[in-house]
């Protein structure tokens, strides 16, 4: 009888878990369908072990070959966290020092000294925590078949490198700024002190010891591993030519891996922090790695939560791939998600929150459903449009069914419920927006409140949705041919861009490699113009005074382009949009 009762209890537990597991799977599939994500793979850590490893969807949008838990994805900047462990391993073995001038050990290349390095030098600690003053935020990689530069060519920005030189442009240690260029300096430093190829060193001292057998920094991939990969998709779900890009900037962006392998990496940090075996690092080094250096940045990982709910992790993006890793420091919990698409939505965050809610993890926001008030459709429509969330990062609102929805990459993302006539609260996060108007009643922006992070700030309006206006007469038709010529030069890049007129110096610098889209740019039809002078919008180092919306005749039908102009009419940026 006792055994029968135990069997019933166990059966009930298994049924409940199965129902919830199905709920999780259903939620993930619904999110993928909503965002048209071809494939997703994840691993969930509970009690210091991998509790669930699951794959969803297909390796590309043809929907023929399913993703498996062994399918390889590009980790993007999560590569930095794993590479950081390799650098800290060398510190532990006294090959490197955290606070030594990196030029002492660099042999193949040196960080050029300048006025910023007179008193403070670039150090490994500064590189790992993005406080070294080094330039170059990230890397686009190189198409399959393109000529691949050496690391030294990348660091000096010489052909065939497609990014500017990595240099110091503020005093090391004085502030924080994300720098993939810094991690490329670190890659060369590690090669110089070990005499080993970077992929070989990382395999021997980090990947293999941690059981990350499906991971490699080899760039390009050998043919036998290339067969095991997912195919990358851009944010419009177009395939990446050649399936993916090649990243000689291996430490910054070059890791091919699986969520289960990244989960093993996270567990090794948790074990080291607790003084348990199973890591490439000692307890003291793991604790340094998870100590805030500046701006909630440790040594190779970012930190979240307070002392009782501390988590570490990193996000990643390569051309066609996004990744997310987050794990508790001392609770044995965590999740890794990898997708074969660039997706600018909150989808992966929603999945993490769903998992945290199911397993009742501490340190994640508790959601309460906002109570909606009635807002008339005319008022709601006035809030539609685009806003400059961060520098060069727009958020788009569309009104529907008494709600505002954000659009990301042309797909519906986040729902905002009206809680007052001009205030809306997200159903996903503890975030609210309160719209602001000028004396004429025109919406000029909104105030963003994040209750979890405890801050608020002003966000400026860029303009209405492009498809909300029909073709209009351009108040200054003479400028359109000049703007078209400037945009065509931005598409081509190189010498054509250097010699072009009508562009800011920042645009010429940052679009030197050309624009991936649109591939062709034939004509512009004026739609709308918005005076944004004084709203604090900056693009590529210049203040934006006017944003002109055109319908675009190109290789992509029904596309609009927002052209950002300075007060003297120079083009400093552009954005392709679908609405």
């Amino acid at each position: 009888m006792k055994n029968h009762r135990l069997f019933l209890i166990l059966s009930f537990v298994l049924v409940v878990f199965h129902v919830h597991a199905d709920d999780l799977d259903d939620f993930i599939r619904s999110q993928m369908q909503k965002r048209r994500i071809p494939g997703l793979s994840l691993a969930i850590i509970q009690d210091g072990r991998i509790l669930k490893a699951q794959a969803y969807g297909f390796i590309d949008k043809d929907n023929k070959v399913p993703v498996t838990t062994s399918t390889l994805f590009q980790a993007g900047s999560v590569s930095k966290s794993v590479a950081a462990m390799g650098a800290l391993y060398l510190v532990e073995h006294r090959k490197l020092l955290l606070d030594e001038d990196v030029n002492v050990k660099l042999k193949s290349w040196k960080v050029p000294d300048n006025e910023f390095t007179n008193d403070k030098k670039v150090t490994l600690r500064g590189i790992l925590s993005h406080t070294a003053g080094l330039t170059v935020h990230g890397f686009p990689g190189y198409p399959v078949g393109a000529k691949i530069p050496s690391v030294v060519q990348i660091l000096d920005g010489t052909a065939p490198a497609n990014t500017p030189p990595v240099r110091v442009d503020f005093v090391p240690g004085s502030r924080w700024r994300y720098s993939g260029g810094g991690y490329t300096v670190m890659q060369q430093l590690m090669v110089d002190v070990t005499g080993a190829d970077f992929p070989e060193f990382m395999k021997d001292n980090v990947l293999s010891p941690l059981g990350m057998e499906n991971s490699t920094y080899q760039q390009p991939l050998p043919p036998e591993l290339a067969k095991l990969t997912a195919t990358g998709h851009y944010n419009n779900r177009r395939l990446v030519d050649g399936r993916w890009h090649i990243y000689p900037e291996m430490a910054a962006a070059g890791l091919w891996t699986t969520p289960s392998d990244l989960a093993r990496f996270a567990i090794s940090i948790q074990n080291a922090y607790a003084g348990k075996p199973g890591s490439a690092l000692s307890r003291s080094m793991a604790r340094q790695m998870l100590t805030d250096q500046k701006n909630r940045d440790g040594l190779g990982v970012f930190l979240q939560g307070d002392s009782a709910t501390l988590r570490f992790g990193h996000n990643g993006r390569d051309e066609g791939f996004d990744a997310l890793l987050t794990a508790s420091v001392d609770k044995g919990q965590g999740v890794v998600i990898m997708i074969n698409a660039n997706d600018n939505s909150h989808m992966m965050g929603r999945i993490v929150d769903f998992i945290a809610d199911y397993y009742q993890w501490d340190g994640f926001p508790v959601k309460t459903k906002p109570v909606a008030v009635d807002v008339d459709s005319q008022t709601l429509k006035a809030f539609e449009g685009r806003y400059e969330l961060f520098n060069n990062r727009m958020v788009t609102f569309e009104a529907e069914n008494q709600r505002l929805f954000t659009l990301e990459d042309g797909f519906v993302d986040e729902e905002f419920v009206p809680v007052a006539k001009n205030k809306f609260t997200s159903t996903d996060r503890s975030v609210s927006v309160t719209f602001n108007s000028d004396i004429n009643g025109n919406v000029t922006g909104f105030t963003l409140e994040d209750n979890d992070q405890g801050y608020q700030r002003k966000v400026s309006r860029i303009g209405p949705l492009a498809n909300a206006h029909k073709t209009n007469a351009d108040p200054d038709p003479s400028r359109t041919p000049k703007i078209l010529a400037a945009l065509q030069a931005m598409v081509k890049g190189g010498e054509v861009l250097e010699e072009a007129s009508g562009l800011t110096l920042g645009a010429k610098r940052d679009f030197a490699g050309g624009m991936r889209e649109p591939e062709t740019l034939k004509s512009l039809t004026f739609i709308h113009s918005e005076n944004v002078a004084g709203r604090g919008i900056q693009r590529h180092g210049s203040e934006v005074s006017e944003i002109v919306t055109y319908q675009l005749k190109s290789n992509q039908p029904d596309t609009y382009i927002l052209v950002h102009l300075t007060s003297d009419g120079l083009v400093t940026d552009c954005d392709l949009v679908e609405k």
Side-chain angles (χ1 to χ4, degrees), residues 133 168 171 179 208 218 224 267 284 286 349-350 410 540-541 561 566 579:
V168 178
V171 175
S179 173
S208 292
Q218 289 176 276
E224 65 272 16
I267 291 167
S284 62
R350 281 192 286 268
H540 303 286
I561 190 165
T566 61
K579 289 189 176 182

Side-chain angles (χ1 to χ4, degrees), residues 196-209:
D197 289 337
F198 186 77
E200 177 188 346
F201 169 80
M202 289 300 299
K203 178 182 179 181
D204 291 344
N205 297 285
V206 176
L207 304 179
S208 292

Side-chain angles (χ1 to χ4, degrees), residues 521-562:
L521 207 162
K522 299 174 183 176
S523 68
L524 301 173
T525 303
F526 180 84
I527 300 292
H528 174 78
S529 177
E530 179 108 352
N531 182 352
V532 297
R535 295 186 189 175
I537 299 173
Q538 272 201 356
R539 292 293 180 95
H540 303 286
S542 294
E543 292 285 338
V544 179
S545 291
E546 185 179 8
I547 298 175
V548 186
T549 303
Y550 291 102
Q551 188 154 26
L552 187 66
K553 187 174 182 182
S554 71
N555 59 309
Q556 299 180 48
D558 303 322
T559 301
Y560 300 91
I561 190 165
L562 311 182

Side-chain angles (χ1 to χ4, degrees), residues 326-572:
T326 185
S328 63
V329 167
D330 58 5
K331 298 180 185 298
Q333 302 162 346
V335 60
V336 181
I337 303 171
M338 305 186 82
I339 61 175
N340 58 343
N342 294 141
D343 186 72
N344 294 312
S345 75
H346 294 282
M347 183 194 77
M348 288 200 286
R350 281 192 286 268
I351 293 172
V352 171
D353 287 346
F354 192 99
I355 292 167
D357 182 60
Y358 169 58
Y359 290 107
Q360 299 181 330
W361 291 348
D362 293 333
F364 289 82
V366 177
K367 294 177 187 173
T368 56
K369 192 171 183 180
V371 178
V373 300
D374 289 334
V375 176
D376 65 84
S377 59
Q378 186 174 354
T379 300
L380 203 64
K381 278 285 183 185
F383 300 142
E384 276 192 334
R386 276 176 242 286
Y387 301 81
E388 188 82 343
L389 187 60
F390 301 107
N391 185 18
N392 204 22
R393 174 76 168 91
M394 297 186 301
V395 61
T396 303
F397 283 107
E398 184 176 43
E400 187 177 342
N401 297 329
Q402 282 286 303
R403 300 288 188 269
L404 288 177
F405 293 88
T406 62
L407 299 178
E408 288 289 356
D409 311 319
F411 308 116
V412 170
D413 182 24
E414 192 171 9
E415 178 183 354
F416 281 78
V417 173
V419 295
K421 186 177 180 181
N422 67 332
K423 184 175 181 178
F424 293 74
T425 297
S426 169
T427 59
D428 286 339
R429 303 174 293 150
S430 187
V431 170
S432 296
V433 296
T434 303
F435 290 94
N436 310 312
S437 302
D438 61 20
I439 56 174
N440 298 317
N442 299 313
V443 177
T444 58
F446 61 77
T447 301
L448 173 69
E449 294 180 77
D450 189 324
N451 295 325
D452 289 332
Q453 301 297 324
Y455 77 86
Q456 67 175 37
R457 61 184 181 82
K458 301 286 188 182
V459 176
S460 296
R461 181 176 172 88
I462 290 175
L465 297 181
N467 62 356
H469 292 261
K470 296 180 180 179
T471 302
N472 291 293
D474 188 345
D476 185 5
S478 65
R479 67 183 173 181
T480 300
K482 300 173 187 175
I483 290 173
L484 178 61
L487 294 175
Q488 288 171 333
M490 289 169 69
V491 169
K492 293 179 180 178
E495 290 184 10
V496 173
L497 182 63
E498 285 181 24
E499 296 170 0
S501 60
L503 290 140
T504 64
L505 292 176
K508 288 189 175 185
R509 178 194 66 227
D510 295 338
F511 290 96
M515 290 195 300
R516 187 182 72 244
E517 295 176 319
E519 293 174 5
T520 60
L521 207 162
K522 299 174 183 176
S523 68
L524 301 173
T525 303
F526 180 84
I527 300 292
H528 174 78
S529 177
E530 179 108 352
N531 182 352
V532 297
R535 295 186 189 175
I537 299 173
Q538 272 201 356
R539 292 293 180 95
H540 303 286
S542 294
E543 292 285 338
V544 179
S545 291
E546 185 179 8
I547 298 175
V548 186
T549 303
Y550 291 102
Q551 188 154 26
L552 187 66
K553 187 174 182 182
S554 71
N555 59 309
Q556 299 180 48
D558 303 322
T559 301
Y560 300 91
I561 190 165
L562 311 182
V563 183
H564 299 253
L565 301 177
T566 61
S567 58
D568 49 2
L570 297 179
V571 175
T572 194

Side-chain angles (χ1 to χ4, degrees), residues 17-180:
F17 177 79
H18 179 69
V19 168
H20 281 284
D22 284 349
D23 287 347
L24 173 58
D25 292 340
D26 289 345
F27 179 78
I28 290 170
R29 290 189 178 101
S30 69
Q31 290 292 311
M32 291 175 64
Q33 184 176 19
K34 180 180 177 181
R35 303 293 308 165
R36 281 176 50 194
I37 304 296
L40 181 150
S41 186
L42 65 72
I44 298 171
I45 303 166
Q46 180 78 320
D47 299 323
R49 61 185 181 86
I50 298 174
L51 176 68
K52 177 184 176 75
Q54 185 73 42
Y56 308 82
F58 299 87
I59 67 165
D60 60 37
K61 63 182 182 180
D62 289 343
N63 296 342
K64 292 179 180 178
V65 181
V67 173
T68 73
T69 55
S70 298
T71 300
L72 299 182
F73 289 76
Q74 286 187 332
S77 288
V78 182
S79 307
K80 294 179 175 70
S81 297
V82 183
M85 181 174 282
L88 295 175
Y89 171 91
L90 289 174
V91 173
E92 296 240 73
H93 287 76
R94 301 184 179 180
K95 299 284 188 182
L96 291 174
L97 298 174
L98 275 171
D99 298 305
E100 179 181 65
D101 179 358
V102 293
N103 277 348
V104 173
K105 301 280 174 60
L106 278 167
K107 300 172 185 175
S108 308
W109 179 88
K110 303 281 187 182
V111 177
D113 280 318
N114 58 27
E115 67 270 27
F116 301 108
T117 61
N118 286 338
D119 298 319
K120 298 285 187 179
K121 302 298 183 182
V122 172
T123 66
L124 178 58
R125 185 188 299 277
I127 287 172
L128 289 170
S129 59
H130 298 287
T131 58
L134 290 164
T135 58
V136 184
H137 180 277
F139 300 99
Y142 296 83
V144 172
K147 192 171 183 180
I148 307 300
S150 68
V151 174
V152 170
Q153 287 174 321
I154 293 165
L155 293 172
D156 281 333
T158 56
N162 59 10
T163 48
V166 178
R167 298 291 185 262
V168 178
D169 70 351
F170 65 78
V171 175
S174 63
R175 59 188 176 94
W176 182 94
R177 184 186 62 200
Y178 192 85
S179 173

